[in-house]
Amino acid sequence: MAGEMMTGNLAAAWGARLAGVDYIPAFPITPQTEIVEALAEWCDCGAMPARFVMMDSEHSMMTAAGAGAATGARVFTATSSQGLLHAFEVLYSVAGWRVPLVLVNVSRALAAPITLEPDHNDVLAARDAGFLQIHAETCQEVLDSILMAYRIAEDERVMLPVLVNLDGFYLSFTREPVIVPDPEKVAAFLPPFRPAHLGFKASAPHALGVAVLGGTPYTYFRHQMHLAAMNALQVHREAAADFERLFGRRYDVVEGYRLDDAEDVLVMSNAFATKGRAAVDAARAKGRRVGLLRLRVIRPWPAEAIVAALRGRRAVGVLDQNLAPGLGGILVQEIAATLYHDPERPKAICSFIGGLGGKNIHEGEFDAIVARMEQAGKAGRGEGPVLLYTEAEHREMAQLQVLASASRADR
Amino acid sequence: MRSIRFHGRGGQGAKTASRIVGTAAFLEGLTAQDSPLYGAERRGAPVSASTRIGREPIRERGLILQPDLIIIADESLIDDSSARVLDGLSERTAVFVNTALGSEQARDRFRIPGRVTALDLTDMTLRQFGKPVALSAPLGAVACRLLGLKAESLRAAVAGELADLGLPEAVIERNLALAASCYESVPLVPVEETAGAMPAPVPLWTPVYEPPTVGSARISASANSPLHETGGWRTFRPVLVPDKCNGCWLCFVYCPDGVISMTKDDLPLIDYDHCKGCQICVQECPTKALVAEREQEGAGTWRAK
């Protein structure tokens, strides 16, 4: 097989290296640390001519990244989970500055309780900050998406920062074959960054994202951000076409798998979508007409592509790898709202919550999902949120709780 | 309903004045609503406050766009385009200006159409207190008088609002005396009720995408410090009495805007282009070598000196 074995983290670092970034303000956090380590080493040994600076926190890191990008430099940084939340205040500022940097988030579930493994409550918390969001399924896609992210971010029609998401462990520490693109081709795909509206200099002070008192200018600038994000759909199309021409790999805002004649469609994002494909194959082998829709770009929300893929289906099952307490899944709400205005909307939408904190989704659980979608489609009535949790897992959990109470009684 | 818009500089008491009027109207059994609007910068920056009073429930909110009465706490605001004190002015709007000029002179000097009333509240306050302090009570008093609110309502409102601010009893008493004399002295121009016409429908407009040179919140003009000269925010300037200065550098240390530098001879040098007139240096100076002097003719006069 072509390429070389590489973790998702290293693929992310390669993305930054090939993009020829100028500045990397960094702060490590598990499971993102390997990205920072690789870039630090490359900058140290001269393999990368970028300026690498360790910051004191993600808040400073994101501020430095935004300010660096405001000078016209190409900026890269990465974080994860609580680190993304610590940077949260600055995310909105940086997006409002309209600076086109790339932030990689290695998804990890949020505290408390603390876990190191992924779900998407971290990255989805940032979905309204004004960053565009690309969610990768494979290590190759991580690298490729970073190149595409700069191309989209730096386009005059967009000028917004982009967040590229990869799942902790399932991609961050998972090695799989990755083709490292030819630097000359990358240079053709991603020309040098020449921003017209940026260029912070000590000699010519100006202010970005200044205080605008009153809602009229605020509304205008906020709406410009919305239009810029919507423009990104067209810019993504162009970037994807160029990328395919140069590198032979095609990326769309959403990706369908065995959709053509599918009655019921499972909607997923990120690394577990690979398991979703296997589940579709298994269901197909049993004669069920099931397909998969993977959401790759979450902001801007690709409403048209989603409606086109789901129109006229019998049932849709959305697998949310997140949990909004008091609501259920986050993405299923956006899918349902998107489909509502379509006269040929699916008869039923089912909501499933799974893979929280990196919890595996078993083949048997996918089986149950397919069965419940079929049932809901026939009944013309959706259901959920349904939590993917097995009896065996419940027994295991009960045992852990017994052990925990026993140790408490000892004292 | 009648609507009153107050304009002042941060620290002058426009907000409290708007509350005094709201409270006075409330005490008379009217419906009242008062709300301030101010921004990121404090002392000296243009601020405004809106008060609505009436007999019916008030179905409006926020800044008053077409005021029946405009109260201007400082004449320098009229030439400050960012303060927008005359927005929404019509010939039926009553305007009050705190100025040493008479009413007629003020109308001509500031080119205000309509009915202008003037009184030197700053001078009256200086005579009462001997130093520049907030004009809340005088501004509130003038507004109450022009609106026809009773003297005893004003008195109760001033006492209540200033007590809420934590001012000592003795200071409140002097404010009450000052308010009463302002109430008596202001030339009377009755304030008309807002005509109750229904607003015309407004067509919606959605802006299209514009390049980031236009569509991003980026200001590269002289609005940025230190290119933006904020000396016009000042109503009192700190002035050095060189004989009294012992060169201790405390004014340099305390200046929140860093506009005081020290000469080779250890004398403070004040950058009047950027001094907002907060008077912290005047307060901190141990030898009283810095004194507050009134800016006589509004914004811009500092250039001439």
Side-chain angles (χ1 to χ4, degrees):
Chain A
M1 190 179 261
E4 52 192 286
M5 292 296 285
M6 190 182 285
T7 62
N9 275 344
L10 197 58
W14 265 107
R17 179 168 165 174
L18 288 167
V21 300
D22 304 301
Y23 178 46
I24 308 165
F27 190 79
I29 176 172
T30 301
Q32 157 265 30
T33 310
E34 190 187 1
I35 300 176
V36 173
E37 286 173 344
L39 293 171
E41 196 181 321
W42 289 338
C43 290
D44 189 47
C45 76
M48 271 183 87
R51 172 82 185 252
F52 180 97
V53 182
M54 277 305 285
M55 307 303 291
D56 58 82
S57 74
E58 290 88 349
H59 191 278
S60 312
M61 175 192 93
M62 210 56 235
T63 307
T71 67
R74 189 172 278 165
V75 179
F76 177 86
T77 190
T79 190
S80 179
S81 186
Q82 303 287 117
L84 182 68
L85 264 60
H86 190 40
F88 213 85
E89 185 205 17
V90 191
L91 296 183
Y92 278 76
S93 299
V94 165
W97 296 347
R98 303 287 301 275
V99 290
L101 57 91
V102 172
L103 165 69
V104 161
N105 183 65
V106 185
S107 262
R108 165 182 147 187
L110 296 171
I114 297 171
T115 184
L116 300 180
E117 291 168 273
D119 61 38
H120 303 139
N121 270 111
D122 61 348
V123 63
L124 291 181
R127 75 193 185 282
D128 304 327
F131 274 60
L132 309 182
Q133 287 201 2
I134 300 174
H135 291 225
E137 182 185 341
T138 66
C139 296
Q140 181 73 61
E141 192 184 345
V142 170
L143 194 163
D144 294 349
S145 294
I146 290 169
L147 300 179
M148 283 184 62
Y150 279 109
R151 179 63 192 264
I152 296 161
E154 292 172 2
D155 193 290
E156 278 274 311
R157 291 164 289 176
V158 180
M159 282 288 168
L160 284 171
V162 181
L163 185 155
V164 175
N165 192 67
L166 63 139
D167 282 339
F169 294 81
Y170 293 97
L171 287 188
S172 72
F173 303 143
T174 297
R175 290 201 318 159
E176 57 190 23
V178 173
I179 298 165
V180 176
D182 172 37
E184 278 181 27
K185 282 189 188 172
V186 172
F189 176 74
L190 192 61
F193 180 32
R194 298 265 182 275
H197 80 302
L198 301 174
F200 261 20
K201 266 186 283 189
S203 56
H206 68 228
L208 269 185
V210 289
V212 290
L213 298 181
T216 305
Y218 185 81
T219 303
Y220 169 78
F221 288 125
R222 211 48 200 162
H223 186 250
Q224 286 295 317
M225 287 168 72
H226 170 65
L227 293 173
M230 296 310 288
N231 283 351
L233 289 168
Q234 172 61 24
V235 177
H236 185 285
R237 252 191 299 276
E238 294 166 14
D242 275 0
F243 196 90
E244 186 181 22
R245 186 169 51 75
L246 283 159
F247 304 105
R249 293 183 291 278
R250 172 89 199 169
Y251 296 101
D252 288 313
V253 288
V254 297
E255 198 173 74
Y257 181 66
R258 302 188 80 166
L259 273 186
D260 284 352
D261 64 337
E263 280 185 298
D264 303 332
V265 178
L266 177 59
V267 179
M268 294 185 72
S269 70
N270 289 282
F272 274 7
T274 307
K275 291 169 74 85
R277 289 171 201 267
V280 165
D281 289 342
R284 288 270 177 180
K286 291 179 198 162
R288 285 172 161 155
R289 280 158 55 189
V290 180
L292 179 130
L293 181 74
R294 179 171 74 95
L295 304 174
R296 180 171 170 274
V297 173
I298 304 251
R299 284 291 182 273
W301 182 247
E304 243 176 73
I306 289 168
V307 170
L310 299 180
R311 168 178 291 152
R313 310 291 176 180
R314 186 173 63 178
V316 167
V318 182
L319 208 173
D320 267 298
Q321 205 175 330
N322 62 73
L323 178 58
L327 174 72
I330 293 170
L331 293 179
V332 68
Q333 307 298 331
E334 301 202 336
I335 297 275
T338 302
L339 292 173
Y340 187 82
H341 298 288
D342 193 64
E344 293 174 60
R345 60 178 179 266
K347 291 188 182 66
I349 297 177
C350 304
S351 163
F352 301 96
I353 310 282
L356 298 184
K359 193 178 96 62
N360 193 23
I361 305 175
H362 308 274
E363 279 168 37
E365 289 173 57
F366 277 113
D367 235 24
I369 290 172
V370 170
R372 293 180 90 132
M373 277 202 293
E374 186 179 335
Q375 208 179 351
K378 283 179 182 162
R381 186 189 169 87
E383 64 166 338
V386 175
L387 181 70
L388 300 179
Y389 210 71
T390 63
E391 215 180 326
E393 284 163 348
H394 178 65
R395 274 198 305 274
E396 190 189 330
M397 188 63 216
Q399 271 177 347
L400 288 172
Q401 282 172 312
V402 168
L403 289 173
S405 6
S407 64
R408 223 174 17 238
D410 286 346
R411 284 191 209 126
Chain B
M1 189 184 78
R2 281 175 300 174
S3 52
I4 309 97
R5 199 172 67 206
F6 292 81
H7 291 275
R9 295 195 173 276
Q12 275 184 327
K15 173 197 164 186
T16 303
S18 81
R19 289 189 169 203
I20 287 168
V21 175
T23 299
F26 175 77
L27 291 172
E28 292 193 13
L30 300 170
T31 53
Q33 179 198 76
D34 51 59
S35 57
L37 180 78
Y38 39 66
E41 304 229 51
R42 309 163 315 208
R43 188 170 291 271
V47 298
S48 78
S50 295
T51 303
R52 295 180 174 93
I53 61 175
R55 279 171 217 89
E56 304 294 322
I58 294 165
R59 304 271 190 236
E60 290 181 24
R61 295 226 168 272
L63 185 68
I64 291 165
L65 301 177
Q66 282 165 328
D68 303 310
L69 171 63
I70 299 175
I71 302 277
I72 301 168
D74 194 287
E75 64 194 285
S76 73
L77 288 159
I78 300 171
D79 293 329
D80 186 338
S81 59
S82 66
R84 307 177 69 160
V85 294
L86 300 180
D87 275 16
L89 181 89
S90 74
E91 292 195 352
R92 47 175 298 281
T93 312
V95 180
F96 172 83
V97 189
N98 170 24
T99 174
L101 304 172
S103 299
E104 302 252 316
Q105 285 173 293
R107 189 176 58 214
D108 296 344
R109 158 76 178 79
F110 302 119
R111 295 179 300 280
I112 302 169
R115 302 165 307 138
V116 178
T117 310
L119 192 62
D120 193 348
L121 299 181
T122 305
D123 186 58
M124 294 171 81
T125 306
L126 281 171
R127 274 191 273 132
Q128 174 65 267
F129 288 95
K131 58 180 179 182
V133 291
L135 302 172
S136 317
L139 291 167
V142 164
C144 284
R145 179 64 164 155
L146 297 178
L147 292 162
L149 296 172
K150 294 182 191 123
E152 60 259 38
S153 315
L154 167 68
R155 188 179 165 79
V158 169
E161 292 305 320
L162 297 189
D164 270 2
L165 292 176
L167 294 187
E169 195 107 347
V171 175
I172 294 175
E173 279 305 323
R174 290 166 79 178
N175 270 289
L176 287 170
L178 177 59
S181 82
C182 294
Y183 186 88
E184 295 304 328
S185 314
V186 65
L188 211 52
V189 173
V191 179
E192 294 172 21
E193 295 258 353
T194 307
M198 286 292 287
V202 179
L204 289 182
W205 174 263
T206 308
V208 297
Y209 183 76
E210 296 185 274
T213 43
V214 177
S216 63
R218 162 187 177 271
I219 309 282
S220 52
S222 62
N224 310 308
S225 190
L227 299 180
H228 182 44
E229 295 182 348
T230 48
W233 289 15
R234 205 170 45 236
T235 51
F236 282 83
R237 63 165 52 203
V239 174
L240 181 71
V241 185
D243 297 350
K244 288 191 181 177
C245 177
N246 66 357
C248 71
W249 284 55
L250 273 181
C251 53
F252 166 84
V253 170
Y254 277 100
C255 176
D257 283 308
V259 299
I260 300 180
S261 54
M262 299 302 287
T263 65
K264 277 187 206 151
D265 308 323
D266 286 339
L267 286 177
L269 189 67
I270 300 170
D271 167 13
Y272 286 112
D273 289 354
H274 296 98
C275 167
K276 295 171 189 161
C278 69
Q279 311 304 335
I280 288 174
C281 56
V282 172
Q283 281 169 36
E284 296 297 336
C285 179
T287 62
K288 309 279 178 227
L290 286 163
V291 293
E293 190 178 278
R294 192 175 173 192
E295 297 281 347
Q296 283 300 335
E297 291 162 46
T301 53
W302 52 274
R303 288 180 198 280
K305 288 205 176 178

